[in-house]
Amino acid sequence: MRTVSPANNSDEIARVLARPPRSLWRDAWRRLIANRLARLGMAISIFFLLLAIFVPVIFPYNAKIDSDLMNQLLDPSLEHWMGTDEQGRDVMNRIAHGAQASLGVGVSAVLIAVIIGTLIGLVSGFAGKWIDLGLMFLMDILLAFPGLLLAIAVVALIGPGLRNALLAVATVSIPVYARIARSTVLSIKEQEYVTAARCVGSPSTRILFRHVFPNSLSPIIVQGTLGIAAAILEIAALGFLGLGQQPPYPEWGAMLADSVKYLTSGAWWVLLFPGLAIMLTVLGFNLLGDGVRDALDPRLRVD
Amino acid sequence: MLRYVIKRVLTVIPVLLGVSLLVFGFIRMIPGDVATVMLGERATPENVARVREQLGLNKPVYEQYLIFIGNALRGDLGRSVLRQEPVTQELLRRFPATIELALSAILIALLVGIPAGIVSAIRRGSVFDAASMLLALTGVSMPVFWLGLMLIFLFSVVLHLLPTGGRLGASMEFTATTNFLLLDSLLQGNFHVFFQALRHLILPAVALGSIPMAIIARMTRSAMLEVLSADYIRTAHAKGLKERAVVINHALRNAWLPVITVVGLQVGRLLSGAILTETVFSWPGIGRWLVDAIYARDFPIVQGATLFIAIIFVGVNLLVDLLYAFVDPRIKFE
């Protein structure tokens, strides 16, 4: 601990007061963009997000009529940069349009899971007693399954398809956020500002949403960013197993499943590029997530 | 310590009960008549009635659950609707294949990941460090099924070095006793089969092990970095110990804990990954069987295999927890 002698104490205070106010978030943002790998991750993530948002708007695509049987499995060329697939469809075009399914659904799944999971965690940590016990028991049961297995089981139950895959992936990640939100709430509950709020007579819901919730956000944001990477992988895995996006609509995992049949014929491009798209997107969100973690909580930084 | 063990083991029981309830509920939550869903719209009324009878769907739900849990406790998970084979028997027959794959994968992950992490930490900032961490970063971002397909393409299709899938070539004659092919062939002294089984195992094991390998390497590196800056490491250096002794006896011993935890956390990933890897490599384990059963809507298999994998998962997590407490005396047994 640093001790300040009374002589320069007032100087110190004056200097601190003279500094422009900096919020936690602005500080974190500054640390984030100072991190080279995080910037790279952000650039990759934003690129694919823009792809997912704008490509379907700017270049409308009708998957049902997009096949050109005269041009099956063409090598990459100037005309088709990433070649064509078994139905003569341009691979690059389908990857661009697949971004909406792979990335959009991954992000939505995480959003749903974060909202439901955080609510469960907040209520559980704040209410305590048997509500806590009951909710956490439910979460423990969901956590007793390996993630993909549970997602597969959910899709097997409600039927294959992109929307159901989204629900399955969201369901699987709910307990993760519930757990994090709860443990943060438990530690925040003991803080003095919460006691103070209680003393001045704030109602529980107000304390929960005004004081506890904003302060429990940062671990959830970190986990959420990394969770998008995991969700994209899970959506792709479900697509690969034929349980996600259904043909003829493009999705990266499902495109890889189609490429299996042409593995032995040497058509490497239908295999390489959709996988690269998945890997790059996931890498982007992983880098960004690591960066966000270091930025929000510098104490956790490894090196 | 014993009290902690007992307490920890007891916490598993309600979770397993909940798991069984959820798995049981799966079939009952399917919209519409389950028997019709399984057999398709064109099924004869007799067949539908037979399946309803076999699944006990005519009884009240609580009675169905009691029967299900009673049978499950006795190791009876019902029969496949399509082939009528007992689910438990088939699970046990396929389980060794999955275990053989998962164990080889984690072995590869440990053998490469830990040394890579240690060397990266010691030579922090070196080219090796940068390269292996970049590799680890891309490793965790790769879909395991894509890596598997790429390996097949490179090593089987282009280079003709290794088989594309399966556990043994179709022409191989071999009666397995335990169904752990590597073990069986060694015990029988059949080195030709051993070699073939190994050749089939390499690609799926590498594919499945890649992500745990990357995670273990990153974790080992960061755990080692933390330990290497500790005072007792400086003391060890100061008293003239050899670098090797410092790293192995002082640093590594204290860096174990996070590494063990992270290895334990890989079990779920391995089981999830095994489902995909087995599908890619036509590996006759539980994962591929489960996926096939989902396509075929053979729900007793889906139910049985899901329950089985969840039990294995919970069991291994329990073991890791106990091991963790055993390795680190600082953990309070409360």
Side-chain angles (χ1 to χ4, degrees):
Chain A
M1 212 216 269
R2 196 164 52 125
T3 50
V4 182
S5 64
N8 56 29
N9 195 2
S10 55
D11 291 355
E12 186 95 343
I13 291 173
R15 220 179 58 228
V16 171
L17 285 180
R19 210 165 56 187
R22 293 197 301 177
S23 73
L24 165 81
W25 299 109
R26 188 175 301 177
D27 253 5
W29 171 254
R30 195 165 302 175
R31 278 193 293 266
L32 182 67
I33 51 172
N35 178 341
R36 205 151 35 116
L37 282 178
R39 280 205 308 270
L40 178 65
M42 207 186 316
I44 300 175
S45 312
I46 290 175
F47 171 76
F48 279 102
L49 277 173
L50 292 178
L51 209 61
I53 296 170
F54 290 111
V55 164
V57 181
I58 302 172
F59 309 98
Y61 175 68
N62 189 343
K64 283 186 177 152
I65 55 162
D66 178 37
S67 65
D68 179 0
L69 297 181
M70 298 296 285
N71 288 316
Q72 288 169 331
L73 292 174
L74 291 183
D75 283 26
S77 62
L78 279 178
E79 200 181 339
H80 301 286
W81 288 10
M82 297 182 184
T84 63
D85 69 1
E86 77 282 2
Q87 295 194 35
R89 300 173 293 197
D90 184 79
V91 172
M92 192 164 79
N93 193 26
R94 280 181 62 84
I95 288 179
H97 284 279
Q100 196 179 30
S102 304
L103 182 58
V105 170
V107 173
S108 322
V110 170
L111 278 180
I112 294 177
V114 163
I115 292 171
I116 299 180
T118 308
L119 265 179
I120 293 178
L122 285 178
V123 169
S124 191
F126 204 67
K129 297 196 190 122
W130 60 269
I131 296 181
D132 183 26
L133 269 178
L135 285 174
M136 283 305 117
F137 179 61
L138 276 179
M139 297 299 111
D140 277 350
I141 292 172
L142 289 182
L143 284 174
F145 297 89
L148 184 66
L149 175 70
L150 188 59
I152 288 179
V154 172
V155 177
L157 175 71
I158 55 185
L162 195 59
R163 204 190 40 169
N164 289 350
L166 190 163
L167 290 178
V169 172
T171 311
V172 170
S173 17
I174 285 174
V176 179
Y177 302 103
R179 275 296 182 93
I180 294 176
R182 174 178 175 270
S183 66
T184 331
V185 167
L186 286 184
S187 66
I188 290 175
K189 224 163 79 167
E190 306 303 322
Q191 303 277 328
E192 280 166 5
Y193 56 83
V194 174
T195 318
R198 211 183 288 277
C199 286
V200 299
S202 291
S204 292
T205 45
R206 186 182 156 84
I207 295 178
L208 186 60
F209 287 103
R210 286 283 308 189
H211 300 285
V212 176
F213 174 66
N215 286 296
S216 61
L217 265 180
S218 61
I220 288 181
I221 291 175
V222 172
Q223 185 58 45
T225 320
L226 293 170
I228 293 177
I232 293 170
L233 282 177
E234 273 162 12
I235 293 284
L238 288 175
F240 177 72
L241 292 174
L243 301 171
Q245 180 77 296
Q246 299 297 304
Y249 302 102
E251 188 272 335
W252 299 339
M255 287 173 75
L256 283 175
D258 289 338
S259 79
V260 173
K261 288 164 272 180
Y262 306 95
L263 210 56
T264 47
S265 66
W268 53 270
W269 54 94
V270 285
L271 171 66
L272 182 68
F273 294 116
L276 269 184
I278 300 175
M279 195 185 86
L280 269 179
T281 318
V282 174
L283 182 68
F285 280 99
N286 273 333
L287 287 175
L288 183 61
D290 282 351
V292 171
R293 182 187 55 211
D294 292 346
L296 282 175
D297 193 350
R299 282 167 305 172
L300 290 178
R301 192 191 309 241
V302 177
D303 47 19
Chain B
M1 178 77 192
L2 187 68
R3 272 188 60 186
Y4 171 77
V5 172
I6 293 172
K7 218 171 153 182
R8 183 67 185 80
V9 171
L10 286 181
T11 58
V12 164
I13 293 173
V15 170
L16 283 183
L17 271 179
V19 165
S20 73
L21 200 61
L22 192 62
V23 169
F24 166 83
F26 266 145
I27 288 196
R28 276 81 194 168
M29 282 188 283
I30 292 171
D33 179 61
V34 178
T36 317
V37 170
M38 265 192 263
L39 297 174
E41 292 296 333
R42 276 177 287 170
T44 59
E46 295 83 50
N47 272 336
V48 172
R50 180 180 60 80
V51 168
R52 288 188 67 85
E53 180 65 35
Q54 190 189 326
L55 295 175
L57 291 174
N58 299 321
K59 300 193 180 75
V61 174
Y62 71 90
E63 208 180 317
Q64 289 179 35
Y65 178 67
L66 290 181
I67 293 173
F68 170 72
I69 196 83
N71 285 341
L73 285 175
R74 268 176 278 138
D76 176 7
L77 291 169
R79 281 169 182 277
S80 148
V81 171
L82 295 178
R83 292 203 206 92
Q84 293 295 319
E85 62 207 357
V87 172
T88 313
Q89 199 182 317
E90 195 61 18
L91 267 174
L92 294 178
R93 198 176 70 77
R94 287 167 176 272
F95 190 47
T98 301
I99 289 293
E100 197 170 62
L101 177 60
L103 282 183
S104 321
I106 199 75
L107 194 71
I108 294 176
L110 289 171
L111 285 181
V112 180
I114 290 185
I118 294 175
V119 175
S120 289
I122 297 173
R123 305 226 180 109
R124 182 179 175 186
S126 67
V127 176
F128 179 86
D129 182 25
S132 64
M133 284 309 115
L134 187 72
L135 211 62
L137 212 54
T138 42
V140 290
S141 307
M142 240 187 265
V144 55
F145 53 93
W146 181 56
L147 179 61
L149 291 171
M150 301 269 283
L151 288 173
I152 293 177
F153 185 76
L154 186 62
F155 289 98
S156 310
V157 177
V158 176
L159 298 173
H160 299 289
L161 283 176
L162 293 164
T164 55
R167 281 183 93 190
L168 270 185
S171 56
M172 296 288 280
E173 295 268 336
F174 183 69
T175 24
T177 40
T178 62
N179 220 1
F180 286 99
L181 284 187
L182 291 182
L183 190 71
D184 283 348
S185 56
L186 269 190
L187 286 178
Q188 297 180 18
N190 192 338
F191 292 106
H192 180 57
V193 169
F194 178 80
F195 182 65
Q196 282 305 319
L198 198 61
R199 273 173 42 108
H200 282 80
L201 184 60
I202 291 175
L203 290 186
V206 168
L208 184 57
S210 64
I211 295 181
M213 184 194 299
I215 293 173
I216 289 170
R218 289 180 74 179
M219 196 65 222
T220 309
R221 176 176 181 271
S222 69
M224 282 295 282
L225 280 180
E226 197 156 304
V227 172
L228 281 174
S229 61
D231 286 342
Y232 57 83
I233 296 295
R234 198 174 34 187
T235 310
H237 277 301
K239 73 183 181 187
L241 280 184
K242 287 206 179 78
E243 177 72 26
R244 203 186 169 78
V246 176
V247 169
I248 294 176
N249 295 336
H250 292 68
L252 195 56
R253 181 168 290 192
N254 286 291
W256 264 135
L257 211 54
V259 176
I260 290 178
T261 316
V262 118
V263 172
L265 289 175
Q266 298 314 305
V267 177
R269 202 183 293 274
L270 276 180
L271 289 172
S272 290
I275 297 174
L276 296 166
T277 316
E278 288 180 6
T279 308
V280 169
F281 288 93
S282 313
W283 191 261
I286 292 178
R288 180 160 164 257
W289 190 49
L290 173 68
V291 172
D292 287 344
I294 288 176
Y295 295 147
R297 304 196 145 268
D298 199 333
F299 289 122
I301 296 183
V302 177
Q303 182 177 260
T306 308
L307 184 64
F308 186 78
I309 298 177
I311 290 174
I312 300 282
F313 187 43
V314 171
V316 177
N317 279 338
L318 174 69
L319 272 180
V320 172
D321 257 20
L322 296 180
L323 185 69
Y324 195 59
F326 189 72
V327 173
D328 187 1
R330 285 169 303 188
I331 289 182
K332 286 186 217 141
F333 306 116
E334 280 169 11

